[in-house]
Amino acid sequence: MIRSRIVGTGGYLPARIVTNDELSRTLDTSDEWIRSRTGIRQRHIAAPDETSSDLALPASRTALAAAGVAAADLDLIVVATSTPDFVFPSTACLLQAKLGVRSCPAFDVQAVCSGFVYALATADSFIRAGQSRRALVVGTEVFSRILDWNDRGTCVLFGDGAGAAVLVADERPGIHATVLHADGAHAGILSVPGNVCGGSIVGSPFVRMDGQAVFKFAVRVLEEAAREALGRCGLGVADVDWLIPHQANVRILDATARKLGIPPEKVVVTVDRHANTSAASVPLALDEAVRDGRIRAGHRVLLEGVGGGFTWGAALVEM
Ligand code: UT7
């Protein structure tokens, strides 16, 4: 039976680092408040001319190099983003052109902070169905563009970045199971409720969030999705080597690990340095832990996303 395996990862963060102290110079906030409520110390912010496809390019090149796969040999590109370069063409098509390749299918997935898990599940399905053998899956965001920098309740939480993974078809099991869910009834608790119409923005182009409702929802579904993915493989929590939940708030990570009974030292945390990079957070954390040697061949890694929509999901991956 053909399965998919992750054989290379990559990440990219824009050069500019913005600390909590820097934010507190223009905003009624403090390093103490942001750290104690979220665990965030700093975030990376893209340059004015840097777009999602620009961030995706170095992350993708690094993942391809790690995988030993040439861009020309890709037969699928899936990009998860909520901050695309344009309304269209898709960021995936723009990335394909920047990689200098042609012809393979390329499309975006929009599932906000669950985007990478959705994109990974999509590419996994293409590979299992025999439609693809070498896929590039990317999460990339310039969330700084959709933040109201006067709203201390949201702007302190997010950052920009990109993460990527290369999947290949293999007979050895790599991605053991994926689970995806959505419930549009909760669209209102986290949204950017605007669109472009007749040359103007209709509604709001900024993130709006009911933080406490999102917090409670996230902790509940992250636990449920983890148990569901493990259940599909007949595995238990003790079989997980690493937990990589979406990086939104260190309190959400701690609560999820506690409810699952996973010790904190098995949880990969980047939110302190990256803040919430939406669809990029999971592949960036995966790449960091692969590169620093924590995640090794044979380890079982549970990736989890949760975000606007509401959307959520998990993937149990053997590296
Ligand atoms: O990808 C998913 C995206 N989002 C999330 O995962 C966010 C989930 N939610 C959260 O992480 C938390 O709910 C927050 C970090 C957003 C907020 O933490 P909280 O403990 O739920 O605080 P709160 O919203 O109840 O606000 C407490 C106080 C309020 O003041 P009052 O009304 O008590 O006087 C806020 O106005 O903190 C105030 N506050 C701030 N103070 C300083 C809100 N933001 C800030 C800020 N600096 N940046």
Side-chain angles (χ1 to χ4, degrees):
M1 188 166 62
I2 297 292
R3 311 287 286 271
S4 71
R5 288 186 76 79
I6 294 179
V7 291
T9 63
Y12 180 77
L13 292 157
R16 184 168 172 235
I17 292 174
V18 175
T19 62
N20 295 341
D21 281 335
E22 186 175 341
L23 289 180
S24 67
R25 277 181 226 136
T26 52
L27 206 59
D28 182 14
T29 189
S30 66
D31 178 53
E32 199 285 324
W33 190 95
I34 300 170
R35 275 188 202 229
S36 62
R37 301 286 176 126
T38 71
I40 296 166
R41 293 190 275 123
Q42 61 175 48
R43 69 286 296 140
H44 290 247
I45 299 294
D49 60 349
E50 254 179 332
T51 65
S52 278
S53 70
D54 290 332
L55 303 189
L57 183 62
S60 301
R61 284 192 173 138
T62 306
L64 287 162
V69 170
D73 292 332
L74 290 171
D75 54 17
L76 177 66
I77 299 174
V78 188
V79 172
T81 187
S82 298
T83 48
D85 295 22
F86 300 129
V87 172
F88 70 81
S90 70
T91 303
C93 286
L94 300 173
L95 174 63
Q96 186 200 46
K98 286 179 180 177
L99 285 167
V101 296
R102 292 181 158 183
S103 172
C104 73
F107 57 88
D108 287 2
V109 164
Q110 217 286 33
V112 202
C113 304
S114 309
F116 185 77
V117 173
Y118 265 66
L120 191 72
T122 304
D124 176 56
S125 298
F126 268 68
I127 288 175
R128 281 170 182 258
Q131 276 200 242
S132 171
R133 293 194 63 81
R134 283 171 298 273
L136 174 66
V137 182
V138 184
T140 185
E141 302 281 12
V142 284
F143 243 63
S144 57
R145 307 279 156 77
I146 55 169
L147 299 172
D148 175 353
W149 288 97
N150 295 310
D151 176 13
R152 66 179 185 172
T154 53
C155 74
V156 304
L157 304 172
F158 295 92
D160 299 334
V166 174
L167 264 65
V168 298
D170 201 324
E171 276 163 22
R172 288 179 298 159
I175 297 183
H176 284 276
T178 59
V179 297
L180 299 178
H181 292 285
D183 185 350
H186 300 286
I189 62 173
L190 180 56
S191 63
V192 178
N195 62 62
V196 179
C197 180
S200 309
I201 293 161
V202 178
S204 168
F206 297 126
V207 171
R208 288 190 186 169
M209 181 176 71
D210 175 345
Q212 291 190 1
V214 171
F215 193 107
K216 284 182 202 144
F217 197 97
V219 173
R220 177 171 65 79
V221 299
L222 286 171
E223 183 196 2
E224 286 173 5
R227 293 199 190 281
E228 189 183 351
L230 286 167
R232 284 207 190 165
C233 324
L235 296 173
V237 165
D239 300 308
V240 174
D241 294 297
W242 297 101
L243 178 66
I244 306 187
H246 168 52
Q247 308 279 316
N249 182 327
V250 84
R251 288 159 53 216
I252 295 178
L253 303 190
D254 290 347
T256 302
R258 204 167 41 244
K259 288 180 100 182
L260 285 168
I262 293 181
E265 57 272 19
K266 286 188 171 185
V267 183
V268 180
V269 178
T270 55
V271 67
D272 53 332
R273 288 153 293 128
H274 301 177
N276 178 348
T277 57
S278 191
S281 90
V282 169
L284 272 168
L286 175 65
D287 181 56
E288 180 174 288
V290 166
R291 275 172 201 283
D292 68 21
R294 275 178 289 173
I295 295 180
R296 296 191 301 275
H299 279 180
R300 290 199 190 100
V301 185
L302 190 52
L303 309 174
E304 293 207 87
V306 57
F310 243 72
T311 57
W312 65 101
L316 184 71
V317 177
E318 187 171 326
M319 300 299 289

